[in-house]
Amino acid sequence: NAGVTQTPKFRVLKTGQSMTLLCAQDMNHEYMYWYRQDPGMGLRLIHYSVGEGTTAKGEVPDGYNVSRLKKQNFLLGLESAAPSQTSVYFCASSLMVNTEAFFGQGTRLTVV
Amino acid sequence: LAKTTQPISMDSYEGQEVNITCSHNNIATNDYITWYQQFPSQGPRFIIQGYKTKVTNEVASLFIPADRKSSTLSLPRVSLSDTAVYYCLVGRMDSSYKLIFGSGTRLLVRP
């Protein structure tokens, strides 16, 4: 039982490049979330999903897109990376709304 | 969404009990109070959740007064490994809820 797995763990992008971060959970959870965390700051919600095929905007959605084609996967895309998107990205999942959320190990993204 | 206010930081020593208070004056009737812990370079980890009075598990206790306008996370006999950021979240059990974290309280446990 792996829990929540994020791929990749580290990535360096050049400004303007695109990439997709993958979050996979094996707990049959309905809810999934993507966050970013800048140094010394709290987590900020980017997008979330309340079930397969659904997505919704969080606090800081601009510059990111997401998809939840399969219940176990939640993808975060950056179409044109900017240095301001340098951050640590965390994915989380929960069985239902406001139940215990489980987090992945994070993806450290640097945009140069 | 109920706004929460926590101290930015706290210091303690090994073996002491630590109490972190969170204010949530505009908490709604259906809101629950949840606390998460985050170690450096890791994602947050759920600690405890409650609605009223007192909740206790193997890690911590959560005290919620009758008016529910605040809550206190109590960590008994902290150790160096309890050094972390602690987040208080308030929200309801319906689809309107977004799992939004504030700035948290940075707890430093000293030897």
Side-chain angles (χ1 to χ4, degrees):
Chain A
N1 190 340
V4 178
T5 303
Q6 293 183 227
T7 308
K9 293 182 174 56
F10 302 93
R11 185 73 186 268
V12 178
L13 283 180
K14 293 183 178 179
T15 298
Q17 286 186 319
S18 64
M19 79 162 294
T20 300
L21 281 67
L22 170 63
C23 178
Q25 53 95 3
D26 60 2
M27 297 173 282
N28 201 34
H29 285 175
E30 291 293 335
Y31 283 68
M32 296 187 75
Y33 312 84
W34 273 109
Y35 296 88
R36 61 175 289 173
Q37 186 170 37
D38 300 329
M41 307 292 287
L43 290 87
R44 290 185 291 171
L45 181 64
I46 304 172
H47 286 281
Y48 65 103
S49 168
V50 302
E52 180 178 319
T54 75
T55 63
K57 294 181 180 179
E59 302 173 279
V60 289
D62 294 343
Y64 304 94
N65 57 76
V66 287
S67 64
R68 182 108 181 261
L69 298 180
K70 293 182 179 180
K71 187 177 184 179
Q72 64 268 34
N73 296 334
F74 195 28
L75 279 64
L76 177 71
L78 287 74
E79 291 186 348
S80 180
S84 60
Q85 294 178 304
T86 292
S87 191
V88 179
Y89 291 83
F90 288 103
C91 174
S93 72
S94 62
L95 181 61
M96 297 298 293
V97 64
N98 208 7
T99 55
E100 179 178 356
F102 294 83
F103 283 77
Q105 76 278 30
T107 296
R108 187 173 298 274
L109 175 66
T110 303
V111 183
V112 298
Chain B
L1 189 66
K3 177 178 169 56
T4 60
T5 303
Q6 307 174 230
I8 294 174
S9 64
M10 294 180 67
D11 279 16
S12 183
Y13 291 92
E14 280 191 295
Q16 288 188 332
E17 178 184 72
V18 171
N19 295 310
I20 305 174
T21 297
C22 178
S23 297
H24 27 80
N25 291 319
N26 61 338
I27 189 169
T29 302
N30 296 332
D31 285 345
Y32 283 72
I33 300 154
T34 311
W35 286 80
Y36 283 82
Q37 173 191 55
Q38 185 180 25
F39 297 117
S41 302
Q42 295 185 25
R45 184 183 71 158
F46 174 93
I47 301 175
I48 198 165
Q49 184 179 65
Y51 182 79
K52 62 180 180 180
T53 61
K54 177 183 174 182
V55 180
T56 297
N57 61 23
E58 65 278 5
V59 176
S61 295
L62 177 59
F63 297 93
I64 305 168
D67 66 5
R68 303 197 332 121
K69 293 185 182 299
S70 67
S71 59
T72 298
L73 175 72
S74 181
L75 305 172
R77 297 179 298 282
V78 294
S79 64
L80 297 177
S81 62
D82 291 315
T83 293
V85 178
Y86 293 82
Y87 297 95
C88 166
L89 287 73
V90 174
R92 62 198 59 191
M93 296 289 192
D94 64 41
S95 58
S96 69
Y97 178 69
K98 300 179 185 180
L99 191 62
I100 289 180
F101 289 74
S103 301
T105 297
R106 194 170 298 271
L107 173 66
L108 174 63
V109 179
R110 302 178 186 274

